[in-house]
Amino acid sequence: MTILYNSSLQKATFFLTGFEGLEDLHGWISIPFCFIYLTVIIGNLTILHVIRADVILHEPMYYFLAMLALTDLGLCLSTLPTVLGIFWFDAREIGIPACFTQLFFIHTLSLVESSILLSMSIDRYVAICHPLRYSTVLTPARIVKMGLVSVLRSALLILPLSFLLKRFQYCRSHVLAHAYCLHLEIMKLACSSIIVNHIYGLFVVACTVGIDSLLIFLSYALILRTVLSIASRLERLRALNTCVSHMCAVLLFYIPMIGLSLVHRFGEHLPHMVHLLMSYVYLLVPPLMNPIVYSIKTKQIRQRITKKFEFIKSLRCYQ
């Protein structure tokens, strides 16, 4: 493939890749992807609408759920244009500024999701371990501050990646292995040493996902200790049941992340298709499954969604 590259960085072009070797089937492959993207958008918008419309759900737990839904929606929309562009129009070219912008949003929103999962674990810790202080600790103002800190921390840590990548000359093949731009993949195309990018990337992961996961584990250890001290078995189950949805969201986020890291680290001998599928699982499964999990496992959300459908059904009957 001919690579377009001028001395100016702004005129450089990367080439995205769909399912290599299955280009003739891209039209069919796009059908499940369209279904997934549509489900993600409808599911997360439904969660946001239900929380916004029902005053009873204006509580810390549901504010954090709204933040999670908003983040998942943003993560979905960050990859949608290039993924469907390849499947529908074979639009593989992407300019470096657009590529770096997409990279920024993908990585930032991934870190924001980790931060929100931590905030949700703090919410569950306060609700179960210090129920009498719940309303005074998690005030609306403090929840807003926690959300802003999550966004600012993630954005400020990811922002230098674009500047670190801009200093490189990309004299190797500009063909990327995915349908979207990722830092790890782009830096491997550079001609010069990428040790600084490696070290900074590890620093970002340690400062965000590493710390967040440890604090989530610690919060659940404290929650479990408190729950086990409750005399009533029914009350113990009721307390743990309030954490099931969040634990599922944590597993949906961290298991694909760990799996993708292991594949990149130790799976060089694996087919490229495995790497490709793991990356899609990491980016699409959490936004897809989170609304479904919370709709099924959270009674209040499930009841409000059911009422909405019943209301719409009744309107159709009158027409």
Side-chain angles (χ1 to χ4, degrees), residues 171-183:
C171 55
R172 300 174 187 172
S173 168
H174 284 207
V175 180
L176 303 177
H178 299 89
Y180 40 80
C181 299
L182 298 174
H183 171 252

Side-chain angles (χ1 to χ4, degrees), residues 143-210:
I143 292 169
V144 170
K145 288 178 183 177
M146 291 170 73
L148 289 174
V149 168
S150 298
V151 174
L152 287 174
R153 182 189 73 160
S154 304
L156 291 175
L157 284 171
I158 294 299
L159 190 61
L161 291 179
S162 297
F163 294 101
L164 288 172
L165 291 172
K166 279 183 179 180
R167 66 193 177 91
F168 291 135
Q169 291 290 323
Y170 297 99
C171 55
R172 300 174 187 172
S173 168
H174 284 207
V175 180
L176 303 177
H178 299 89
Y180 40 80
C181 299
L182 298 174
H183 171 252
L184 181 64
E185 191 176 356
I186 293 174
M187 72 177 184
K188 289 180 179 179
L189 303 180
C191 308
S192 52
S193 172
I194 56 175
I195 186 66
V196 174
N197 290 63
H198 266 302
I199 293 172
Y200 185 74
L202 291 172
F203 168 76
V204 170
V205 171
C207 288
T208 53
V209 176

Side-chain angles (χ1 to χ4, degrees), residues 93-282:
E93 292 187 26
I94 183 170
I96 283 187
C99 187
F100 287 176
T101 302
Q102 185 184 50
L103 175 152
F104 172 79
F105 280 107
I106 290 174
H107 289 299
T108 297
L109 291 170
S110 295
L111 298 187
V112 169
E113 180 145 351
S114 176
S115 298
I116 292 171
L117 290 173
L118 172 60
S119 299
M120 296 173 85
S121 71
I122 293 171
D123 168 78
R124 291 299 83 207
Y125 165 74
V126 176
I128 294 173
C129 300
H130 304 283
L132 298 178
R133 299 174 57 191
Y134 184 69
S135 59
T136 57
V137 172
L138 292 174
T139 61
R142 190 163 290 164
I143 292 169
V144 170
K145 288 178 183 177
M146 291 170 73
L148 289 174
V149 168
S150 298
V151 174
L152 287 174
R153 182 189 73 160
S154 304
L156 291 175
L157 284 171
I158 294 299
L159 190 61
L161 291 179
S162 297
F163 294 101
L164 288 172
L165 291 172
K166 279 183 179 180
R167 66 193 177 91
F168 291 135
Q169 291 290 323
Y170 297 99
C171 55
R172 300 174 187 172
S173 168
H174 284 207
V175 180
L176 303 177
H178 299 89
Y180 40 80
C181 299
L182 298 174
H183 171 252
L184 181 64
E185 191 176 356
I186 293 174
M187 72 177 184
K188 289 180 179 179
L189 303 180
C191 308
S192 52
S193 172
I194 56 175
I195 186 66
V196 174
N197 290 63
H198 266 302
I199 293 172
Y200 185 74
L202 291 172
F203 168 76
V204 170
V205 171
C207 288
T208 53
V209 176
I211 292 175
D212 293 347
S213 57
L214 285 174
L215 292 176
I216 290 171
F217 177 80
L218 177 62
S219 67
Y220 271 103
L222 295 173
I223 287 171
L224 190 60
R225 186 183 69 174
T226 300
V227 168
L228 292 176
S229 67
I230 299 174
S232 170
R233 181 175 179 274
L234 183 61
E235 289 299 320
R236 287 200 300 267
L237 292 174
R238 188 175 296 172
L240 287 174
N241 191 52
T242 63
C243 301
V244 171
S245 299
H246 177 254
M247 286 190 287
C248 290
V250 170
L251 293 175
L252 285 169
F253 179 76
Y254 283 104
I255 289 177
M257 175 182 282
I258 294 169
L260 184 62
S261 300
L262 291 175
V263 166
H264 277 304
R265 180 73 175 174
F266 304 109
E268 292 183 359
H269 62 286
L270 294 174
H272 174 65
M273 185 65 70
V274 175
H275 292 256
L276 203 60
L277 290 175
M278 281 300 301
S279 67
Y280 281 120
V281 167
Y282 167 63

